[in-house]
Amino acid sequence: MIEKNKEYIVDIVDNGFQGEGIAKIDGITVFIPNVIKGEKVKIKVLKVTSSLAYGKVIEIIEKSEFRKKTDCSTFSRCGGCNLRHIDYDYTLEIKKNAVESTLRKALGRDIKIVNVLKMDKPYNYRNKLQYPVGIDNNGNPVMGVYAERTHSIIPTKECMIQDKLSQNIANDIFEFIVKNNIPVYNEKLLKGSIRHIVIRIGKKTNQVMITLVSNTEKIDKEKELVEYITSKYLEVKTIVKNINNKNTNVILGQENKILFGEGYIYDYLENFKFKISPMSFYQVNPIQTEKLYSKAVEYANLTGEEIVFDLYCGIGTIGIFASPKIKNLYGIETIPEAIEDAKGNAKLNNIENAEFFVGDVEKTLPEFIKIRNIIPDVVFVDPPRKGCDKTALETLMEIKPKRIVYVSCNPATLARDLKILEETYNLEEVSICDMFPFTHHIECVTSLKLKK
């Protein structure tokens, strides 16, 4: 019988949904991080339940051909890029297998992933850096990333998925803070000033926005800090102070004060221009976002005559992408600020065939159809991780649009929703897009066609 705190030598028979290795001991499935299918390893069992166990690797006895030396000094503690020890192309194979396995279990048959939209250069891809600032165990200021499942900050000067310019700016801001003895936030005492440094960059425009998240209304030497950074980095177009004095894990507070510039920057997805402010949602990997949305529009099979619904539309990116190829677009989103951004982005791109509405999709969609008497030809759905609301799915199956294009950031809820939709729709094709290289996260796009 498997025992806690005991050491075992095991063969890794598979990789799980989050990239973790899977072994079997006495018929019990054991999950072990940082190991690869095909490896033989010595592990220590940390936790045992009635059906599962969790362990950590002590020694790798036989290495996989796909194991590579990690290029990141914080990899073992950070937990952000939990596939960083694996050859990039093989990480895509792991993700593909994970999605196919999830769909097989839900739908009861084999589903083959047709396209894997890989990233040509899977490094320094993030357009948004968020570094907490705090006090280390010796009472000194520290900036970096949180250690996995803790609020302990790992000092980070270089991160392989962050934009290099953003990182340089963050390092210089932190150096200025330390040199000038600007108080940083002490999470235990709830005192101090600077809590987070947030930097966003337009990957195509090279415009930079800095948000200094502060526990206090006033930051010591904030004027000097602004002058120092803006004189050194001409790419910095705006600096905003965000006030967050709540004892919370949420990074941004509700109040913003512009210290420099207009309070926003611009970036492009293909030829479409987007305005980005401190509170805006914007995909963190725009290079892959273009591939994902292009595939979604391809799956919609548009002719220029379609009425299209964009559900869970966010700031309107997918709908705006599709707008030149459709007759009319109607977007629904629960967050009012996102809808304001969507309307602004449509105006910015001179799009006149799009309307956006605030509301919960499950309530607003049936009301909208009833009041407006509009039936869509094509529906895009891009829900949060919890997937689509069942009422929304039932409404879609009642009104029967010819096509549904489902974009998902969670294969488990995608599989659950596809099982429901398959009563009325044929699942034509599934592609995955590697939006977050070297992490376990997977973005899927799925084509569904109404059954005859």
Side-chain angles (χ1 to χ4, degrees):
M1 186 67 184
I2 186 169
E3 294 176 34
K4 184 181 175 181
N5 294 326
K6 194 173 175 183
E7 293 181 3
Y8 296 86
I9 292 174
V10 296
D11 293 316
I12 305 303
V13 295
D14 206 352
N15 281 99
F17 198 62
Q18 298 195 348
E20 72 279 27
I22 296 173
K24 296 275 187 182
I25 301 175
D26 297 335
I28 298 281
T29 300
V30 188
F31 295 103
I32 308 131
N34 302 334
V35 292
I36 308 170
K37 181 180 177 181
E39 293 186 323
K40 185 185 284 290
V41 297
K42 182 190 278 189
I43 67 164
K44 182 178 181 180
V45 173
L46 303 177
K47 182 181 176 183
V48 180
T49 71
S50 57
S51 58
L52 300 170
Y54 299 87
K56 72 172 182 179
V57 65
I58 295 171
E59 180 191 349
I60 297 169
I61 298 165
E62 292 176 14
K63 284 185 182 179
S64 164
E65 61 181 302
F66 301 111
R67 179 174 287 277
K68 69 181 188 70
K69 190 177 179 183
T70 180
D71 50 8
C72 174
S73 59
T74 62
F75 161 72
S76 60
R77 294 177 61 205
C78 160
C81 302
N82 57 341
L83 305 181
R84 191 139 217 109
H85 59 297
I86 304 174
D87 172 77
Y88 177 60
D89 284 341
Y90 192 62
T91 68
L92 302 178
E93 193 65 26
I94 290 171
K95 294 181 184 190
K96 177 174 174 283
N97 291 341
V99 175
E100 288 179 345
S101 172
T102 304
L103 294 175
R104 188 186 310 115
K105 285 171 188 170
L107 304 178
R109 66 183 194 282
D110 284 342
I111 304 290
K112 292 296 177 193
I113 302 298
V114 177
N115 297 293
V116 178
L117 306 173
K118 66 181 281 189
M119 192 165 192
D120 298 326
K121 295 178 181 175
Y123 302 93
N124 308 109
Y125 57 81
R126 284 185 64 91
N127 60 13
K128 185 180 186 181
L129 173 152
Q130 297 181 138
Y131 278 172
V133 182
I135 303 290
D136 68 14
N137 292 334
N138 299 317
N140 299 314
V142 61
M143 174 198 77
V145 294
Y146 287 125
E148 192 174 15
R149 296 190 183 92
T150 76
H151 266 221
S152 171
I153 299 172
I154 306 167
T156 310
K157 278 198 171 286
E158 184 181 22
C159 170
M160 300 306 293
I161 63 173
Q162 291 291 358
D163 180 88
K164 287 182 179 179
L165 176 60
S166 299
Q167 194 128 291
N168 290 339
I169 294 170
N171 288 334
D172 279 341
I173 292 171
F174 183 66
E175 196 175 295
F176 185 94
I177 288 167
V178 174
K179 273 186 182 174
N180 290 274
N181 296 312
I182 298 172
V184 301
Y185 187 60
N186 186 319
E187 199 172 67
K188 291 176 183 172
L189 302 176
L190 307 180
K191 288 182 178 177
S193 187
I194 295 181
R195 297 176 67 145
H196 274 83
I197 296 167
V198 181
I199 298 175
R200 301 179 84 162
I201 183 166
K203 284 286 191 177
K204 290 193 176 175
T205 61
N206 219 33
Q207 295 180 357
V208 173
M209 172 170 60
I210 299 169
T211 305
L212 300 171
V213 183
S214 178
N215 181 51
T216 56
E217 290 282 335
K218 181 88 172 98
I219 299 172
D220 289 357
K221 297 195 176 179
E222 67 180 37
K223 191 176 176 186
E224 291 88 335
L225 174 56
V226 169
E227 285 174 358
Y228 168 65
I229 291 297
T230 53
S231 62
K232 185 168 183 178
Y233 295 99
L234 299 180
E235 299 92 341
V236 175
K237 300 302 177 190
T238 191
I239 300 178
V240 176
K241 176 170 60 179
N242 175 273
I243 312 297
N244 184 1
N245 50 24
K246 292 182 178 175
N247 182 15
T248 174
N249 289 335
V250 177
I251 292 173
L252 295 176
Q254 293 302 307
E255 185 184 357
N256 290 306
K257 294 184 178 179
I258 297 170
L259 303 179
F260 172 79
E262 299 291 329
Y264 53 83
I265 57 172
Y266 292 106
D267 198 19
Y268 286 87
L269 289 174
E270 286 197 349
N271 297 319
F272 299 104
K273 192 176 186 180
F274 291 92
K275 179 180 174 182
I276 305 164
S277 58
M279 313 300 276
S280 295
F281 173 80
Y282 189 68
Q283 292 279 12
V284 298
N285 186 342
I287 292 167
Q288 292 299 95
T289 300
E290 288 183 346
K291 293 180 185 178
L292 178 72
Y293 290 174
S294 295
K295 182 57 68 177
V297 171
E298 178 194 317
Y299 278 173
N301 204 19
L302 301 168
T303 64
E305 296 302 313
E306 287 83 6
I307 292 169
V308 174
F309 285 5
D310 185 4
L311 307 183
Y312 313 93
C313 69
I315 61 169
T317 40
I318 294 179
I320 287 170
F321 234 65
S323 60
K325 297 181 179 180
I326 63 178
K327 186 177 180 182
N328 290 106
L329 171 76
Y330 302 93
I332 299 173
E333 166 63 55
T334 185
I335 301 167
E337 293 83 1
I339 287 295
E340 285 307 305
D341 282 345
K343 289 176 179 177
N345 288 325
K347 194 173 181 181
L348 194 61
N349 291 285
N350 299 312
I351 293 165
E352 296 178 353
N353 62 341
E355 293 181 63
F356 297 96
F357 303 88
V358 178
D360 294 324
V361 168
E362 63 270 22
K363 293 177 185 173
T364 306
L365 179 61
E367 290 169 7
F368 184 85
I369 291 163
K370 191 176 178 182
I371 294 165
R372 292 270 187 137
N373 196 27
I374 297 171
I375 302 297
D377 302 294
V378 175
V379 175
F380 292 108
V381 291
D382 186 5
R385 287 193 65 78
K386 65 181 181 180
C388 288
D389 182 87
K390 194 174 180 185
T391 308
L393 295 177
E394 287 169 351
T395 303
L396 290 177
M397 289 192 293
E398 279 174 31
I399 61 171
K400 295 181 172 58
K402 294 186 190 96
R403 287 186 174 274
I404 296 173
V405 179
Y406 192 140
V407 178
S408 168
C409 60
N410 184 350
T413 53
L414 169 67
R416 179 201 69 200
D417 292 348
L418 289 178
K419 188 171 175 62
I420 295 169
L421 288 167
E422 274 206 324
E423 292 174 28
T424 313
Y425 286 85
N426 288 319
L427 174 58
E428 285 193 315
E429 201 167 285
V430 182
S431 296
I432 64 174
C433 181
D434 197 28
M435 292 283 278
F436 310 101
F438 294 113
T439 77
H440 68 268
H441 297 290
I442 311 170
E443 203 87 13
C444 300
V445 56
T446 307
S447 166
L448 295 146
K449 187 177 181 183
L450 186 66
K451 288 180 179 177
K452 288 183 180 177

